[in-house]
Amino acid sequence: MNIMKLKENKAKSLIDNAINDLIESIEKGQSDDLKNYLQTMGRFYHYSFTNIMLISRQFPNASQIAGFQTWKKLNRFVLKGEKGIKIIAPIISKKESLKANKVENEIFGFRIVNVFDISQTDGEELPEISKVKGDPVAYSEKLNQFISDNKIELLYSSNVLAFGYSTGGRIIIRTGLSPAEDFSVRVHELAHELLHQNKGENLSKQQKETEAEAVAFVVCYAIGLDTNSAFQDYIQMYKGDKELLLKSFERIQKTAGKILLKI
């Protein structure tokens, strides 16, 4: 077996083990494991969903991660005896493109690399990142702009039985909600618009609602809002269907990441 194949097999094994562990815990009714995964997604939404899963399984409380050399550049050092968090990184080579007359990066495999959480390091303090605590005002207008940019109309009405709903190109929110509730419902309904409207997928109403609620949970958690979530519904929804679970996780990660990058 060549070195490249060995690296790819190790990476695949690492991912499969993390996936199987998460599915097993869900089937046993261990909702805290799923909550940890979604919280990790909120902190590392710019990572792939497989790396989010790997981080969640190995170091659920990770908050800021970087490689050994990156921490050194930040004048911090990894504490002796700390075990690295294994994630998947692409193997990139430079390829000369004759057609474009330039050098391009090409991915030709994947490998396992070790990263470390800030709690595993010591050294100079990093700059503080401000976080919203219970008030989404700093993100509210950006969320509305993102809704508008996607050609979705946002309306408010007192004649709404639920907190809100979407009708394909239109989101209606009940008036009188608290700022945190209002923000969460807007994200939930936006998730429906991005995930489920006119997609042609045969998803149950429960699956659609749970995916939208999971997106709202991840986004609200990422900006520091306390939120309740229906993520516990996953415990029974995907029992025995690994492929469906992973597709759902990937949709949630991409949608939450897309929203967070804009707000």
Side-chain angles (χ1 to χ4, degrees):
M1 180 183 292
N2 61 42
I3 294 175
M4 183 59 61
K5 193 67 176 177
L6 179 62
K7 288 178 178 178
E8 289 185 356
N9 284 346
K10 284 184 177 179
K12 184 177 184 301
S13 177
L14 192 66
I15 294 169
D16 286 344
N17 288 339
I19 290 169
N20 290 332
D21 284 348
L22 179 59
I23 291 174
E24 183 179 346
S25 67
I26 291 173
E27 290 180 341
K28 289 180 179 178
Q30 296 170 351
S31 60
D32 282 348
D33 283 351
L34 181 59
K35 183 177 181 179
N36 285 337
Y37 174 73
L38 293 177
Q39 288 177 335
T40 304
M41 190 183 289
R43 293 191 293 271
F44 300 103
Y45 57 87
H46 50 292
Y47 280 62
S48 69
F49 89 100
T50 48
N51 275 338
I52 290 168
M53 189 173 295
L54 291 173
I55 296 166
S56 174
R57 302 307 291 165
Q58 297 171 79
F59 209 109
N61 296 319
S63 60
Q64 292 174 271
I65 62 173
F68 187 90
Q69 295 300 326
T70 300
W71 282 124
K72 282 183 66 175
K73 291 176 182 177
L74 294 170
N75 295 317
R76 296 186 68 86
F77 58 90
V78 176
L79 296 169
K80 187 176 180 180
E82 288 292 344
K83 185 178 179 182
I85 305 166
K86 297 185 184 302
I87 64 172
I88 308 302
I91 301 171
I92 299 174
S93 68
K94 294 188 181 299
K95 178 183 178 183
E96 189 171 345
S97 174
L98 298 177
K99 185 178 290 187
N101 196 25
K102 63 179 180 180
V103 176
E104 298 177 338
N105 290 330
E106 181 181 15
I107 297 175
F108 65 99
F110 293 87
R111 62 191 175 96
I112 299 170
V113 298
N114 285 309
V115 293
F116 300 87
D117 183 58
I118 188 172
S119 64
Q120 299 174 286
T121 70
D122 198 1
E124 291 186 10
E125 292 294 323
L126 297 181
E128 281 289 328
I129 300 174
S130 60
K131 290 187 176 180
V132 175
K133 296 295 183 183
D135 186 354
V137 63
Y139 303 90
S140 190
E141 284 304 315
K142 290 182 180 179
L143 178 62
N144 285 351
Q145 184 61 53
F146 184 53
I147 291 172
S148 176
D149 289 345
N150 280 273
K151 312 299 182 185
I152 301 168
E153 187 179 10
L154 176 64
L155 301 171
Y156 282 83
S157 172
S158 59
N159 298 318
V160 179
L161 294 178
F163 285 163
Y165 64 94
S166 62
T167 60
R170 177 179 292 180
I171 292 173
I172 298 92
I173 306 295
R174 184 205 292 178
T175 55
L177 299 179
S178 70
E181 287 175 327
D182 183 289
F183 185 88
S184 179
V185 174
R186 271 182 286 157
V187 175
H188 178 108
E189 300 305 333
L190 174 59
H192 276 310
E193 291 291 317
L194 298 177
L195 279 168
H196 306 133
Q197 297 292 355
N198 303 316
K199 301 298 181 182
E201 294 178 291
N202 187 24
L203 305 178
S204 69
K205 179 174 172 41
Q206 183 189 20
Q207 184 176 347
K208 290 178 181 179
E209 287 301 321
T210 307
E211 285 186 351
E213 190 64 13
V215 170
F217 176 87
V218 170
V219 172
C220 289
Y221 179 83
I223 68 168
L225 288 178
D226 293 326
T227 178
N228 293 320
S229 172
F231 61 82
Q232 289 92 342
D233 290 347
Y234 270 85
I235 294 170
Q236 298 301 326
M237 190 187 307
Y238 298 104
K239 195 167 185 178
D241 198 332
K242 175 179 174 180
E243 184 178 352
L244 187 62
L245 174 68
L246 296 182
K247 285 182 179 178
S248 184
F249 276 157
E250 189 168 13
R251 284 197 297 269
I252 291 165
Q253 184 268 331
K254 287 182 177 178
T255 305
K258 186 183 296 185
I259 295 170
L260 285 167
L261 286 172
K262 291 297 183 179
I263 66 173

